[in-house]
Amino acid sequence: MDTQQLYEALKEAQEPKGYYFSNDKNRVFELLDALLTNKNRYGYMVCPCRLASGNRVNDKDIICPCVYRKPDVEEFGSCYCNLYVSKEWNEGKIPHEYVPERRPPEKMVF
């Protein structure tokens, strides 16, 4: 699968759930490229904005879409990486604030 195919597949799967790609298409494609790199490296598409352990069990909370996406988009209109956003975020109806890391520190120790 290449980046364009991943983009189309995820867009089709996620938009009906209310998750949109950011309007910054260059950033989106950088993140999707990184997801594919991580899939080749680890065997799963782990969040490119976080440090993966390489252990699927340890990383299950950050396999994209991560478990933090829903609360991030609900509270800030964007996930941590700004890959997935709300319609309102894309339309500029809500501020583009920094999304703090929700992943507990104990999950970041390898």
Side-chain angles (χ1 to χ4, degrees), residues 13-95:
Q14 299 304 319
E15 282 190 0
K17 299 174 186 175
Y19 298 104
Y20 300 86
F21 285 132
S22 165
N23 287 337
D24 183 348
K25 204 162 184 180
N26 287 332
R27 174 74 175 148
V28 167
F29 273 76
E30 286 172 2
L31 291 167
L32 294 176
D33 281 338
L35 282 172
L36 290 173
T37 297
N38 283 345
K39 183 173 184 181
N40 289 332
R41 182 179 292 148
Y42 302 114
Y44 49 95
M45 289 195 299
V46 67
C47 177
C49 299
R50 295 179 167 103
L51 188 58
S53 70
N55 178 314
R56 189 181 186 104
V57 173
N58 292 346
D59 293 339
K60 69 180 179 179
D61 63 318
I62 58 171
I63 294 174
C64 189
C66 74
V67 300
Y68 310 106
R69 176 183 73 168
K70 183 176 187 211
D72 285 350
V73 173
E74 286 175 355
E75 185 174 349
F76 298 98
S78 171
C79 72
Y80 182 66
C81 316
N82 300 131
L83 176 63
Y84 289 109
V85 300
S86 68
K87 188 179 241 185
E88 295 77 20
W89 194 91
N90 263 344
E91 293 172 349
K93 293 180 179 176
I94 58 174

Coordinates of all heavy atoms in Angstrom, one line a residue, residues 13-95:
A13 N -12.9 5.3 5.7 CA -13.3 4.7 6.9 C -13.5 5.6 8.1 O -14.4 5.4 8.9 CB -12.1 3.7 7.3
Q14 N -12.8 6.7 8.1 CA -12.9 7.6 9.3 C -13.9 8.8 9.2 O -14.5 9.2 10.2 CB -11.5 8.2 9.7 CG -10.5 7.1 10.0 CD -11.0 6.2 11.1 OE1 -11.5 6.6 12.1 NE2 -10.7 4.9 11.0
E15 N -14.1 9.3 8.0 CA -15.0 10.5 7.9 C -16.4 10.1 8.3 O -17.0 11.0 9.0 CB -15.0 11.0 6.5 CG -13.8 11.9 6.2 CD -13.8 12.7 4.9 OE1 -14.8 12.6 4.2 OE2 -12.8 13.4 4.7
P16 N -17.0 8.9 8.0 CA -18.3 8.6 8.5 C -18.4 8.6 10.1 O -19.5 8.8 10.7 CB -18.6 7.3 8.0 CG -17.7 7.1 6.8 CD -16.5 7.9 7.1
K17 N -17.2 8.5 10.7 CA -17.2 8.5 12.2 C -17.0 9.9 12.8 O -16.9 10.1 14.0 CB -16.0 7.6 12.7 CG -16.2 6.1 12.3 CD -15.0 5.3 12.7 CE -15.1 3.9 12.1 NZ -13.9 3.1 12.4
G18 N -16.8 10.9 11.9 CA -16.6 12.2 12.3 C -15.2 12.7 12.5 O -14.9 13.7 13.0
Y19 N -14.3 11.9 11.9 CA -12.8 12.2 12.0 C -12.4 12.5 10.6 O -12.5 11.7 9.7 CB -12.1 11.0 12.6 CG -12.5 10.7 14.0 CD1 -13.3 9.6 14.3 CD2 -12.1 11.5 15.0 CE1 -13.7 9.3 15.5 CE2 -12.5 11.3 16.3 CZ -13.3 10.1 16.6 OH -13.7 9.9 17.9
Y20 N -11.8 13.7 10.4 CA -11.4 14.2 9.1 C -9.8 14.4 9.2 O -9.3 14.6 10.2 CB -12.0 15.5 8.8 CG -13.5 15.4 8.8 CD1 -14.3 15.5 9.9 CD2 -14.2 15.1 7.6 CE1 -15.7 15.3 9.9 CE2 -15.6 14.9 7.5 CZ -16.3 15.1 8.7 OH -17.7 14.9 8.6
F21 N -9.2 14.3 8.0 CA -7.8 14.7 7.9 C -7.7 16.2 7.9 O -8.6 16.9 7.4 CB -7.2 14.2 6.6 CG -6.9 12.7 6.6 CD1 -7.3 11.9 5.5 CD2 -6.3 12.1 7.6 CE1 -7.1 10.6 5.5 CE2 -6.0 10.7 7.6 CZ -6.4 10.0 6.5
S22 N -6.6 16.7 8.5 CA -6.4 18.1 8.6 C -6.3 18.6 7.1 O -6.0 17.9 6.2 CB -5.0 18.3 9.2 OG -4.5 19.6 9.0
N23 N -6.7 19.9 7.0 CA -6.6 20.6 5.7 C -5.1 20.7 5.2 O -4.9 21.0 4.0 CB -7.3 21.9 5.7 CG -8.8 21.8 5.8 OD1 -9.4 20.8 5.4 ND2 -9.4 22.9 6.3
D24 N -4.2 20.6 6.1 CA -2.8 20.7 5.7 C -2.3 19.4 5.1 O -1.8 18.5 5.8 CB -1.9 21.0 7.0 CG -0.5 21.2 6.7 OD1 0.0 20.9 5.6 OD2 0.2 21.7 7.6
K25 N -2.6 19.2 3.8 CA -2.3 18.0 3.1 C -0.9 17.5 3.2 O -0.6 16.3 3.3 CB -2.9 18.0 1.7 CG -3.2 16.7 1.1 CD -4.1 16.8 -0.1 CE -4.5 15.4 -0.5 NZ -5.4 15.4 -1.7
N26 N 0.0 18.5 3.1 CA 1.5 18.1 3.2 C 1.8 17.4 4.5 O 2.4 16.4 4.6 CB 2.4 19.3 3.0 CG 2.4 19.8 1.6 OD1 2.2 19.1 0.7 ND2 2.6 21.1 1.4
R27 N 1.3 18.0 5.6 CA 1.5 17.4 6.9 C 0.8 16.0 7.0 O 1.4 15.1 7.6 CB 0.9 18.4 8.0 CG 0.9 17.8 9.4 CD 2.3 17.8 10.0 NE 2.2 17.4 11.4 CZ 3.2 16.7 12.0 NH1 4.3 16.4 11.4 NH2 3.1 16.3 13.3
V28 N -0.4 15.9 6.5 CA -1.1 14.7 6.5 C -0.3 13.6 5.8 O -0.1 12.5 6.3 CB -2.5 14.8 5.9 CG1 -3.2 13.4 5.6 CG2 -3.4 15.6 6.8
F29 N 0.2 13.9 4.6 CA 1.0 12.9 3.9 C 2.3 12.6 4.6 O 2.8 11.4 4.5 CB 1.2 13.4 2.4 CG 0.0 12.9 1.6 CD1 -1.2 13.6 1.6 CD2 0.1 11.8 0.8 CE1 -2.3 13.1 0.9 CE2 -1.0 11.4 0.0 CZ -2.2 12.0 0.1
E30 N 2.9 13.5 5.2 CA 4.1 13.2 6.0 C 3.8 12.2 7.1 O 4.6 11.3 7.4 CB 4.7 14.5 6.7 CG 5.4 15.5 5.7 CD 5.7 16.8 6.4 OE1 5.5 17.0 7.6 OE2 6.3 17.6 5.7
L31 N 2.7 12.5 7.8 CA 2.3 11.5 8.9 C 1.9 10.2 8.3 O 2.2 9.1 8.9 CB 1.1 12.2 9.7 CG 1.5 13.4 10.5 CD1 0.2 14.1 11.0 CD2 2.3 13.0 11.7
L32 N 1.2 10.1 7.2 CA 0.8 8.8 6.6 C 2.1 8.1 6.2 O 2.2 6.9 6.3 CB -0.2 9.0 5.5 CG -1.5 9.6 5.9 CD1 -2.4 9.8 4.6 CD2 -2.2 8.7 6.8
D33 N 3.0 8.8 5.6 CA 4.3 8.2 5.2 C 5.0 7.6 6.4 O 5.5 6.5 6.4 CB 5.3 9.2 4.6 CG 5.0 9.5 3.1 OD1 4.3 8.7 2.5 OD2 5.4 10.6 2.7
A34 N 5.0 8.3 7.5 CA 5.6 7.8 8.8 C 4.8 6.6 9.3 O 5.4 5.7 9.9 CB 5.6 9.0 9.8
L35 N 3.5 6.6 9.2 CA 2.7 5.4 9.6 C 3.2 4.2 8.8 O 3.3 3.1 9.4 CB 1.2 5.7 9.5 CG 0.5 6.5 10.5 CD1 -0.9 6.8 10.1 CD2 0.6 5.8 11.8
L36 N 3.3 4.4 7.5 CA 3.8 3.2 6.7 C 5.2 2.8 7.0 O 5.5 1.6 7.1 CB 3.6 3.6 5.2 CG 2.2 3.7 4.7 CD1 2.2 4.3 3.3 CD2 1.5 2.4 4.8
T37 N 6.1 3.8 7.3 CA 7.4 3.5 7.8 C 7.4 2.6 9.1 O 8.1 1.6 9.2 CB 8.2 4.7 8.0 OG1 8.4 5.4 6.8 CG2 9.6 4.4 8.6
N38 N 6.5 3.1 10.0 CA 6.4 2.3 11.3 C 5.8 1.0 11.0 O 6.2 0.0 11.7 CB 5.6 3.1 12.3 CG 6.4 4.2 12.9 OD1 7.6 4.3 12.8 ND2 5.7 5.2 13.5
K39 N 4.9 0.8 10.1 CA 4.3 -0.5 9.8 C 5.4 -1.4 9.3 O 5.5 -2.6 9.7 CB 3.2 -0.4 8.8 CG 2.6 -1.7 8.5 CD 1.4 -1.7 7.6 CE 0.8 -3.1 7.5 NZ -0.4 -3.1 6.7
N40 N 6.3 -0.9 8.4 CA 7.4 -1.7 7.9 C 8.4 -2.0 9.1 O 9.0 -3.1 9.1 CB 8.2 -1.0 6.8 CG 7.3 -0.9 5.5 OD1 6.5 -1.8 5.3 ND2 7.5 0.1 4.7
R41 N 8.6 -1.1 9.9 CA 9.6 -1.2 11.0 C 9.1 -2.1 12.1 O 9.8 -3.0 12.6 CB 9.9 0.2 11.6 CG 10.9 0.2 12.7 CD 11.2 1.6 13.2 NE 11.8 2.3 12.2 CZ 11.7 3.7 12.0 NH1 10.9 4.4 12.8 NH2 12.3 4.3 11.0
Y42 N 7.8 -2.0 12.5 CA 7.3 -2.7 13.7 C 6.3 -3.7 13.4 O 5.9 -4.6 14.2 CB 6.7 -1.7 14.7 CG 7.6 -0.6 15.2 CD1 7.4 0.7 14.9 CD2 8.7 -0.9 16.0 CE1 8.3 1.7 15.3 CE2 9.6 0.1 16.4 CZ 9.3 1.4 16.1 OH 10.2 2.3 16.5
G43 N 5.7 -3.6 12.2 CA 4.6 -4.6 11.8 C 3.2 -4.0 12.1 O 2.2 -4.7 11.9
Y44 N 3.2 -2.8 12.6 CA 1.9 -2.2 12.9 C 2.1 -0.7 12.7 O 3.1 -0.1 12.9 CB 1.3 -2.6 14.2 CG 2.3 -2.4 15.4 CD1 2.4 -1.3 16.2 CD2 3.2 -3.5 15.7 CE1 3.3 -1.1 17.2 CE2 4.1 -3.4 16.7 CZ 4.1 -2.2 17.5 OH 5.0 -2.1 18.5
M45 N 0.9 0.0 12.5 CA 1.0 1.5 12.2 C 0.9 2.2 13.6 O -0.2 2.7 13.9 CB -0.1 1.9 11.2 CG 0.2 1.5 9.8 SD -0.8 2.3 8.6 CE -2.4 1.8 9.0
V46 N 2.0 2.4 14.2 CA 2.1 3.1 15.5 C 2.2 4.6 15.2 O 2.8 5.0 14.2 CB 3.2 2.5 16.4 CG1 4.6 2.8 15.8 CG2 3.1 3.0 17.8
C47 N 1.6 5.4 16.1 CA 1.6 6.8 16.0 C 3.0 7.4 15.7 O 4.0 7.1 16.4 CB 1.1 7.4 17.3 SG 1.1 9.2 17.3
P48 N 3.2 8.1 14.6 CA 4.5 8.7 14.3 C 4.9 9.8 15.2 O 6.1 10.2 15.2 CB 4.4 9.1 12.9 CG 2.9 9.4 12.7 CD 2.2 8.5 13.6
C49 N 4.1 10.3 16.0 CA 4.4 11.4 16.9 C 4.8 11.0 18.3 O 5.0 11.8 19.2 CB 3.1 12.3 17.0 SG 2.7 13.0 15.4
R50 N 4.9 9.7 18.5 CA 5.2 9.1 19.8 C 6.3 8.1 19.6 O 6.5 7.5 18.5 CB 4.0 8.5 20.5 CG 2.9 9.5 20.8 CD 1.7 8.8 21.4 NE 0.8 9.7 22.0 CZ -0.3 10.1 21.5 NH1 -0.7 9.6 20.3 NH2 -1.1 10.9 22.1
L51 N 7.1 7.8 20.7 CA 8.1 6.9 20.6 C 7.6 5.5 20.9 O 7.0 5.2 22.0 CB 9.2 7.2 21.7 CG 10.5 6.4 21.6 CD1 11.2 6.5 20.3 CD2 11.4 6.9 22.7
A52 N 7.7 4.6 19.9 CA 7.2 3.2 20.0 C 8.3 2.3 20.7 O 9.5 2.6 20.5 CB 6.8 2.7 18.7
S53 N 7.8 1.3 21.4 CA 8.7 0.4 22.0 C 9.1 -0.8 21.1 O 10.1 -1.4 21.3 CB 8.0 -0.2 23.3 OG 7.0 -1.1 22.9
G54 N 8.2 -1.0 20.1 CA 8.4 -2.1 19.2 C 7.7 -3.4 19.7 O 7.7 -4.4 19.0
N55 N 7.1 -3.3 20.8 CA 6.3 -4.4 21.4 C 4.8 -4.0 21.2 O 4.3 -3.0 21.8 CB 6.6 -4.5 22.9 CG 5.8 -5.6 23.6 OD1 4.6 -5.7 23.4 ND2 6.5 -6.4 24.4
R56 N 4.1 -4.8 20.4 CA 2.8 -4.4 20.1 C 1.9 -4.3 21.3 O 1.0 -3.4 21.4 CB 2.2 -5.5 19.1 CG 0.9 -5.1 18.6 CD 0.3 -6.2 17.6 NE -0.9 -5.7 17.0 CZ -1.0 -5.3 15.8 NH1 0.0 -5.3 15.0 NH2 -2.2 -4.9 15.3
V57 N 2.1 -5.2 22.3 CA 1.2 -5.1 23.5 C 1.5 -3.8 24.2 O 0.5 -3.1 24.7 CB 1.5 -6.3 24.4 CG1 0.8 -6.2 25.8 CG2 1.1 -7.6 23.8
N58 N 2.7 -3.4 24.4 CA 3.0 -2.1 25.0 C 2.5 -0.9 24.2 O 2.2 0.1 24.8 CB 4.5 -1.9 25.2 CG 5.1 -2.9 26.2 OD1 4.4 -3.6 27.0 ND2 6.4 -3.1 26.2
D59 N 2.5 -1.0 22.9 CA 2.2 0.1 22.0 C 0.7 0.1 21.6 O 0.3 1.0 20.9 CB 3.0 0.0 20.8 CG 4.5 0.3 21.0 OD1 4.9 0.9 22.0 OD2 5.3 -0.2 20.1
K60 N -0.1 -0.9 22.1 CA -1.5 -1.0 21.6 C -2.3 0.3 21.7 O -3.1 0.6 20.9 CB -2.2 -2.2 22.2 CG -2.5 -2.0 23.6 CD -3.3 -3.2 24.2 CE -3.6 -3.1 25.6 NZ -4.3 -4.2 26.2
D61 N -2.0 1.1 22.7 CA -2.7 2.4 22.9 C -2.3 3.5 21.9 O -3.1 4.4 21.8 CB -2.5 2.9 24.4 CG -1.1 3.3 24.7 OD1 -0.2 2.5 24.3 OD2 -0.9 4.3 25.3
I62 N -1.2 3.3 21.2 CA -0.8 4.3 20.3 C -0.7 3.8 18.8 O -0.2 4.4 18.0 CB 0.6 4.9 20.7 CG1 1.7 3.9 20.8 CG2 0.4 5.8 21.9 CD1 3.1 4.5 21.0
I63 N -1.4 2.6 18.6 CA -1.6 2.2 17.2 C -2.7 3.0 16.6 O -3.8 3.2 17.2 CB -1.9 0.7 17.2 CG1 -0.7 -0.1 17.7 CG2 -2.3 0.3 15.8 CD1 -1.0 -1.6 17.8
C64 N -2.4 3.6 15.5 CA -3.3 4.6 14.9 C -4.5 4.0 14.3 O -4.4 2.9 13.6 CB -2.5 5.4 13.8 SG -3.3 6.8 13.1
P65 N -5.7 4.5 14.5 CA -5.9 5.7 15.4 C -5.8 5.3 16.9 O -6.4 4.3 17.3 CB -7.4 6.1 15.1 CG -8.0 4.8 14.6 CD -6.9 4.0 13.9
C66 N -5.1 6.1 17.6 CA -4.8 5.8 19.0 C -6.0 5.9 19.9 O -7.0 6.6 19.5 CB -3.6 6.6 19.5 SG -4.0 8.3 19.8
V67 N -5.9 5.4 21.1 CA -7.0 5.5 22.0 C -7.2 6.9 22.5 O -8.3 7.2 23.1 CB -6.9 4.5 23.2 CG1 -6.8 3.1 22.7 CG2 -5.7 4.9 24.1
Y68 N -6.3 7.8 22.3 CA -6.4 9.2 22.8 C -7.0 10.1 21.7 O -7.3 11.2 22.1 CB -5.0 9.7 23.1 CG -4.2 8.7 24.0 CD1 -3.2 7.9 23.5 CD2 -4.6 8.5 25.4 CE1 -2.5 7.0 24.4 CE2 -4.0 7.6 26.2 CZ -2.9 6.8 25.7 OH -2.3 5.9 26.5
R69 N -7.2 9.6 20.5 CA -7.8 10.4 19.5 C -9.2 11.0 19.9 O -9.4 12.2 19.7 CB -7.9 9.6 18.2 CG -8.6 10.4 17.1 CD -8.8 9.7 15.8 NE -9.8 8.7 15.9 CZ -10.3 8.0 14.9 NH1 -9.9 8.2 13.7 NH2 -11.2 7.1 15.1
K70 N -10.0 10.1 20.3 CA -11.4 10.5 20.6 C -11.4 11.6 21.7 O -12.0 12.7 21.4 CB -12.3 9.3 21.1 CG -13.7 9.7 21.3 CD -14.6 8.5 21.7 CE -16.0 9.0 21.8 NZ -16.8 8.3 22.7
P71 N -10.8 11.5 22.8 CA -10.9 12.6 23.8 C -10.1 13.8 23.3 O -10.6 15.0 23.6 CB -10.2 12.0 25.1 CG -9.5 10.8 24.6 CD -10.2 10.3 23.4
D72 N -9.1 13.7 22.5 CA -8.4 14.8 22.0 C -9.3 15.6 21.0 O -9.4 16.8 21.1 CB -7.1 14.4 21.2 CG -5.9 14.0 22.2 OD1 -6.0 14.2 23.4 OD2 -4.9 13.5 21.6
V73 N -9.9 14.9 20.1 CA -10.7 15.6 19.1 C -12.0 16.2 19.8 O -12.4 17.3 19.5 CB -11.1 14.7 18.0 CG1 -12.2 15.3 17.1 CG2 -9.9 14.3 17.2
E74 N -12.5 15.5 20.8 CA -13.7 16.1 21.5 C -13.3 17.3 22.3 O -14.1 18.3 22.3 CB -14.2 15.0 22.5 CG -15.0 13.9 21.9 CD -15.5 12.8 22.8 OE1 -15.1 12.9 24.0 OE2 -16.2 11.9 22.3
E75 N -12.1 17.4 22.9 CA -11.7 18.5 23.7 C -11.1 19.6 22.9 O -11.3 20.8 23.1 CB -10.8 18.1 24.8 CG -10.4 19.2 25.8 CD -9.6 18.7 27.0 OE1 -9.5 17.5 27.2 OE2 -9.1 19.6 27.7
F76 N -10.2 19.2 21.9 CA -9.4 20.2 21.2 C -9.7 20.4 19.7 O -9.2 21.2 19.1 CB -7.9 19.9 21.4 CG -7.4 19.9 22.8 CD1 -7.3 18.8 23.5 CD2 -7.1 21.1 23.4 CE1 -6.9 18.8 24.8 CE2 -6.7 21.2 24.7 CZ -6.6 20.0 25.4
G77 N -10.5 19.4 19.2 CA -10.8 19.5 17.8 C -9.8 18.8 16.9 O -9.9 18.8 15.7
S78 N -8.7 18.3 17.6 CA -7.6 17.6 16.8 C -7.0 16.6 17.7 O -7.0 16.7 18.9 CB -6.6 18.7 16.5 OG -5.4 18.1 16.0
C79 N -6.4 15.6 17.1 CA -5.6 14.6 17.8 C -4.3 15.2 18.1 O -3.9 16.2 17.6 CB -5.6 13.3 17.1 SG -4.5 13.2 15.6
Y80 N -3.5 14.5 18.9 CA -2.1 14.9 19.3 C -1.3 15.3 18.1 O -0.6 16.4 18.1 CB -1.5 13.8 20.1 CG -0.1 14.1 20.6 CD1 0.1 15.1 21.6 CD2 1.0 13.4 20.2 CE1 1.3 15.4 22.1 CE2 2.2 13.6 20.7 CZ 2.4 14.6 21.7 OH 3.6 14.9 22.2
C81 N -1.3 14.6 17.0 CA -0.5 14.8 15.8 C -1.1 15.8 14.8 O -0.4 16.2 13.9 CB -0.2 13.6 15.0 SG 0.1 12.1 15.8
N82 N -2.3 16.1 15.0 CA -3.1 16.9 14.0 C -3.4 16.2 12.7 O -3.6 16.8 11.7 CB -2.4 18.3 13.7 CG -2.2 19.2 14.9 OD1 -1.1 19.7 15.0 ND2 -3.2 19.4 15.7
L83 N -3.3 14.8 12.8 CA -3.7 14.1 11.6 C -5.2 14.0 11.5 O -5.8 14.4 10.5 CB -3.2 12.6 11.7 CG -3.6 11.7 10.6 CD1 -3.0 12.1 9.3 CD2 -3.1 10.2 10.9
Y84 N -5.9 13.7 12.6 CA -7.3 13.6 12.6 C -7.9 14.9 13.3 O -7.4 15.2 14.4 CB -7.8 12.4 13.3 CG -7.6 11.1 12.5 CD1 -6.7 10.2 12.9 CD2 -8.4 10.9 11.4 CE1 -6.5 9.0 12.2 CE2 -8.2 9.7 10.6 CZ -7.2 8.8 11.0 OH -7.0 7.7 10.3
V85 N -8.9 15.5 12.7 CA -9.5 16.7 13.3 C -11.0 16.7 13.1 O -11.5 15.8 12.3 CB -8.9 18.0 12.6 CG1 -7.4 18.1 12.8 CG2 -9.2 18.0 11.1
S86 N -11.6 17.6 13.8 CA -13.1 17.7 13.6 C -13.3 18.6 12.4 O -12.4 19.4 11.9 CB -13.7 18.3 14.8 OG -13.3 19.6 15.0
K87 N -14.5 18.6 11.9 CA -15.0 19.4 10.8 C -14.8 20.9 11.2 O -14.3 21.7 10.4 CB -16.4 19.1 10.4 CG -16.9 19.8 9.2 CD -18.3 19.4 8.9 CE -18.4 18.7 7.5 NZ -19.7 18.4 7.1
E88 N -15.2 21.2 12.5 CA -15.1 22.6 13.0 C -13.7 23.1 13.0 O -13.4 24.2 12.7 CB -15.7 22.7 14.4 CG -17.2 22.4 14.4 CD -17.6 20.9 14.3 OE1 -16.7 20.0 14.6 OE2 -18.8 20.6 13.9
W89 N -12.7 22.2 13.3 CA -11.3 22.5 13.4 C -10.8 22.9 12.0 O -10.2 23.9 11.8 CB -10.5 21.4 13.9 CG -9.1 21.7 14.3 CD1 -8.7 22.1 15.6 CD2 -7.9 21.6 13.5 NE1 -7.3 22.2 15.5 CE2 -6.8 21.9 14.3 CE3 -7.7 21.2 12.2 CZ2 -5.5 21.9 13.8 CZ3 -6.4 21.2 11.7 CH2 -5.3 21.6 12.5
N90 N -11.2 22.1 11.0 CA -10.8 22.3 9.6 C -11.4 23.6 9.1 O -10.8 24.3 8.3 CB -11.2 21.2 8.7 CG -10.1 20.2 8.4 OD1 -8.9 20.5 8.7 ND2 -10.4 19.0 7.9
E91 N -12.6 23.9 9.5 CA -13.3 25.1 9.1 C -12.9 26.4 9.8 O -13.4 27.5 9.5 CB -14.8 24.9 9.2 CG -15.4 23.9 8.2 CD -16.8 23.5 8.5 OE1 -17.4 23.9 9.5 OE2 -17.4 22.8 7.6
G92 N -12.0 26.2 10.8 CA -11.5 27.4 11.5 C -12.5 27.9 12.5 O -12.4 29.1 13.0
K93 N -13.5 27.1 12.9 CA -14.6 27.6 13.9 C -14.1 27.4 15.3 O -14.8 27.9 16.2 CB -15.8 26.8 13.6 CG -16.5 27.1 12.3 CD -17.8 26.3 12.0 CE -18.4 26.7 10.7 NZ -19.6 25.9 10.4
I94 N -13.1 26.7 15.5 CA -12.5 26.5 16.9 C -11.0 26.8 16.8 O -10.4 26.6 15.8 CB -12.8 25.1 17.5 CG1 -12.2 24.0 16.6 CG2 -14.3 24.9 17.7 CD1 -12.4 22.6 17.2
P95 N -10.4 27.3 17.9 CA -9.0 27.6 17.9 C -8.1 26.3 17.7 O -8.5 25.3 18.2 CB -8.8 28.3 19.2 CG -9.9 27.9 20.1 CD -11.1 27.6 19.2

